Amino acid sequence: MKLLASLALLAASTLATPVAPRAPTKEFKLKTTDSTISEFNNLYLYSYHTGAGLSDGVFSSNATAAPKFSLNGTTAYADLGTSFLWGVEVNGDTNYAAWEPVTINAGQGEAEFAIQDGNFVYSEEQGFAGWLVCPWYHNAPQLFALIKYYDPVIPSSCSKVTLKAVY
Ligand SMILES: *[C@@H]1O[C@H](CO)[C@@H](O)[C@H](O)[C@H]1NC(C)=O
Ligand SMILES: *[C@@H]1O[C@H](CO)[C@@H](O)[C@H](O)[C@H]1NC(C)=O
């Protein structure tokens, strides 16, 4: 139901410009705020190439290098300048882990993302309990999704963050 409310909000916020129904929303970059670790604030999400058509969601302070994202319905895509789509994916509650990496992979992506009060979120019904940033194996802060069915013991080097959509 929360998701429906946010979709209604989204629809309302696009009323100002005449757009065709189903047109993807305006593009935005995703920027961190609300971290208790100050160096994790004001970072932009970008895709760290990990294989053909595969990448991890990693952060950089360089806004220029960060790709733009968009929502088509509730599917989130990154515009990596290719002719095919790159979908944002939260790898859900599949392995009894308290948080899961966020990937940006070539393909149709995954539904159930939304922008709520200006922030990019995933569906609570799918187990989302917020975003987590940790310094990880790409030698950069990396994006994870907390899974609400577990009580996370968050390492002190990690922090919860809010992902703000910057238009
Ligand atoms: C930021 O990224 C742009 C585009 O990739 C690059 O040209 C620029 O040198 C980068 N700036 C810094 C400070 O790394
Ligand atoms: C957006 O979603 C609609 C409905 O699923 C689909 O027909 C359309 O091709 C999608 N557009 C893009 C740009 O992905």
Side-chain angles (χ1 to χ4, degrees):
M1 289 305 104
K2 261 218 159 107
L3 190 65
L4 285 180
S6 69
L7 286 176
L9 262 180
L10 205 63
S13 69
T14 55
L15 278 181
T17 44
V19 288
R22 310 210 108 164
T25 52
K26 246 171 38 181
E27 293 191 312
F28 49 87
K29 294 190 175 188
L30 288 171
K31 184 182 183 182
T32 56
T33 64
D34 294 338
S35 174
T36 53
I37 298 176
S38 61
E39 72 213 55
F40 288 170
N41 284 319
N42 303 314
L43 299 180
Y44 291 85
L45 185 64
Y46 74 103
S47 73
Y48 189 104
H49 183 78
T50 55
L54 302 174
S55 64
D56 285 338
V58 162
F59 290 97
S60 151
S61 58
N62 189 343
T64 314
K68 287 182 172 165
F69 293 84
S70 61
L71 280 174
N72 185 17
T74 65
T75 306
Y77 294 108
D79 181 356
L80 300 185
T82 62
S83 58
F84 46 90
L85 298 168
W86 292 80
V88 179
E89 291 167 11
V90 166
N91 301 284
D93 179 28
T94 54
N95 58 1
Y96 308 103
W99 58 84
E100 296 288 347
V102 175
T103 54
I104 302 168
N105 294 336
Q108 292 303 314
E110 188 182 44
E112 312 239 14
F113 292 93
I115 294 183
Q116 250 169 36
D117 302 327
N119 300 322
F120 184 70
V121 296
Y122 184 60
S123 160
E124 279 177 45
E125 281 176 21
Q126 299 297 319
F128 182 66
W131 302 116
L132 184 71
V133 173
C134 291
W136 206 239
Y137 50 41
H138 298 306
N139 292 324
Q142 187 166 333
L143 179 62
F144 299 85
L146 288 161
I147 305 296
K148 72 177 179 185
Y149 311 113
Y150 308 96
D151 200 12
V153 180
I154 296 175
S156 60
S157 61
C158 301
S159 159
K160 292 184 186 180
V161 300
T162 300
L163 281 183
K164 199 172 156 54
V166 180
Y167 292 94

